[in-house]
Amino acid sequence: MSSVQNLAFLVGKATGQTLIMVFSSTFFSVLLGLPVGILLCTSDPAGIRPRPLLYQVLTRIVNVLRSFPFIILMILLFPLSRILAGTSIGTAATIIPLSIAAAPFAARIIETALKEVDAGVVQAARAMGSTNMQIIVKVLLPEALPSLTAGITLTIINLIGYSAMAGAIGGGGLGDLAIRYGYQRFRPDVMAASVAVILILVEIIQAAGSKLSAAQMKKR
């Protein structure tokens, strides 16, 4: 196998691992963050069901978790990764800390998107006798869909960065490839290829997310 073929094989395998980590953790982080984001929106003093104490507790928890350094969080979650994935390193194990790290970010993005919905639309739904759950499901979420799409796109891009950092402690993917093969084995071509693929992934995801968000905005 030539050096070019070997490089292509290594980068291709690492890219696949990165995509698995990023999209799996995006799914789980949104799954965890959605109910929290909805609670943050609805329990806000200006929300459809004000709960000031609940809002203050949730917002502080989210702020603390968002500010927690990812590398430290990943190390702290090694025991949980061993329990759930059977190992603390590799692609499968890294999905767990990635999901937990991104969930508060996703929750805050969801909260912000829901709060951007025109208050007049919510009031109209309330005037027609809609319950809080109906307002959430039939008004807030559909109306906020373009903003939610843009926010999830941003979450995916952040997770690409997190996954690259996870490579520093055996997380797999392009970050691991850049460090183990590029830096430690003095292969600048491997490092350059890894960085280039990460940049390309970010550009593709950002372009796709922006296009989808714009299309949803037109349909509203």
Side-chain angles (χ1 to χ4, degrees):
M1 183 182 292
S2 68
S3 59
V4 175
Q5 290 176 321
N6 182 55
L7 177 61
F9 172 77
L10 291 173
V11 172
K13 181 180 179 181
T15 301
Q17 292 173 343
T18 293
L19 291 175
I20 290 171
M21 286 190 293
V22 168
F23 285 104
S24 297
S25 55
T26 297
F27 172 78
F28 289 116
S29 65
V30 172
L31 195 65
L32 292 170
L34 182 60
V36 178
I38 291 173
L39 273 175
L40 284 168
C41 174
T42 57
S43 64
D44 185 276
I48 61 174
R49 193 179 182 186
R51 293 290 186 275
L53 180 59
L54 175 61
Y55 178 79
Q56 290 299 326
V57 171
L58 281 177
T59 197
R60 279 167 174 73
I61 292 173
V62 168
N63 288 342
V64 168
L65 292 176
R66 279 186 65 193
S67 61
F68 214 89
F70 173 69
I71 293 293
I72 296 175
L73 179 64
M74 186 172 177
I75 293 171
L76 290 175
L77 291 174
F78 274 169
L80 181 61
S81 295
R82 288 194 195 97
I83 292 171
L84 297 178
T87 179
S88 59
I89 60 174
T91 303
T94 306
I95 291 172
I96 296 164
L98 281 174
S99 301
I100 294 173
F105 181 79
R108 191 62 81 185
I109 281 178
I110 291 165
E111 176 200 7
T112 302
L114 295 178
K115 285 182 175 179
E116 288 177 356
V117 175
D118 188 352
V121 178
V122 176
Q123 290 171 1
R126 178 75 76 194
M128 289 187 289
S130 298
T131 64
N132 288 334
M133 183 58 68
Q134 288 173 330
I135 290 173
I136 292 168
V137 174
K138 296 182 179 181
V139 178
L140 291 178
L141 290 174
E143 287 292 318
L145 192 56
S147 295
L148 288 172
T149 299
I152 291 172
T153 301
L154 186 57
T155 302
I156 295 172
I157 291 172
N158 278 350
L159 280 168
I160 292 174
Y162 283 164
S163 70
M165 286 191 287
I169 47 179
L174 290 165
D176 181 56
L177 178 67
I179 292 169
R180 286 198 302 119
Y181 284 86
Y183 177 73
Q184 295 178 353
R185 299 188 185 185
F186 305 102
R187 290 281 305 275
D189 57 329
V190 174
M191 184 172 289
S194 300
V195 172
V197 172
I198 289 174
L199 294 176
I200 291 170
L201 286 177
V202 169
E203 286 296 323
I204 291 173
I205 291 169
Q206 182 62 69
S210 298
K211 187 173 182 179
L212 180 58
S213 179
Q216 291 168 340
M217 184 68 76
K218 289 179 180 178
K219 291 180 180 179
R220 263 192 355 186

